[in-house]
Amino acid sequence: MATPMSADRFLEALRDEGLRVVEVGDWRTHNRNHKGPWGGVHGVMVHHTVTSGAEETVRICYDGHPDLPGPLCHGVITKDGTVHLVGHGRANHAGLGDGDVLRAVIAERRLPPDNEADTDGNRVYYGFECENLGDGKDPWPDAQLEAIEKAAAAVCRVHGWNERSVLGHLEWQPGKVDPRGFTMDSLRERIGKRLR
């Protein structure tokens, strides 16, 4: 179990990994902490947004929508590889997922199938939403894939985690398909190489 990074340390870690970072609104205090604690943290979750266009994507992830208030993640990674920070603290991104998966993330071992929704993921994961329609056809530009790799690696590096601490929403919550268009195993392989 790790204490979440401060907002300043989170920003610094991302920039130290070579990322272009944009700070959005009052992201440092924008959170859902009134719904419960954030932390200890155990990993990094990757999502796709089912949106198109950087400005609209960032707005939705910051504000949320009527059924789900924002922030919907901690950072939004747009097609050009920019990380837009939209929240710090508890965010509405992971929802309920499989406690067996969380135990595997903590142990940094291969993930079991996700077949339950019994554990609060918003408390224990950093979340990155990645601009993509999620239809399996919308491309993932190299700049964006590299930024996803770097952002996840930056968080892992600070906490002393390896690539097994990174998971996709589809590996956490039954019925989810994101991120769609690349495999999490391929992303973890890239993150592992970066961390080594």
Side-chain angles (χ1 to χ4, degrees), residues 12 24 33-35 37 50 53 71 80 115 119 145 150 159 183-184:
E12 178 184 48
V24 181
N33 289 358
H34 66 284
K35 291 292 186 181
V50 195
D80 66 354
N115 56 16
T119 302
L145 287 173
K150 286 179 174 181
H159 288 299
T183 68
M184 286 305 301

Side-chain angles (χ1 to χ4, degrees), residues 19-151:
L19 287 158
R20 182 171 58 255
V21 183
V22 173
E23 299 178 72
V24 181
D26 61 350
W27 74 273
R28 293 166 183 271
T29 56
H30 188 48
N31 57 56
R32 303 286 296 160
N33 289 358
H34 66 284
K35 291 292 186 181
W38 184 44
V41 288
H42 296 288
V44 181
M45 188 171 291
V46 178
H47 308 260
H48 67 228
T49 59
V50 195
T51 60
S52 181
E55 186 175 331
E56 180 69 0
T57 296
V58 171
R59 185 195 64 75
I60 290 169
C61 290
Y62 186 90
D63 291 336
H65 48 80
D67 295 333
L68 195 65
L72 303 184
C73 58
H74 300 101
V76 182
I77 302 175
T78 50
K79 294 270 191 186
D80 66 354
T82 301
V83 179
H84 304 259
L85 295 179
V86 297
H88 183 264
R90 187 182 180 89
N92 275 334
H93 73 100
L96 291 176
D98 195 315
D100 292 334
V101 171
L102 175 59
R103 285 184 280 282
V105 169
I106 292 168
E108 296 183 321
R109 64 176 193 266
R110 182 165 284 285
L111 301 178
D114 56 324
N115 56 16
E116 297 179 298
D118 60 3
T119 302
D120 177 10
N122 293 335
R123 177 178 184 163
V124 297
Y125 295 116
Y126 292 88
F128 289 100
E129 285 279 1
C130 306
E131 178 194 352
N132 192 277
L133 292 173
D135 58 5
K137 300 173 187 171
D138 191 14
W140 291 91
D142 290 343
Q144 187 179 29
L145 287 173
E146 184 177 7
I148 298 167
E149 169 197 327
K150 286 179 174 181

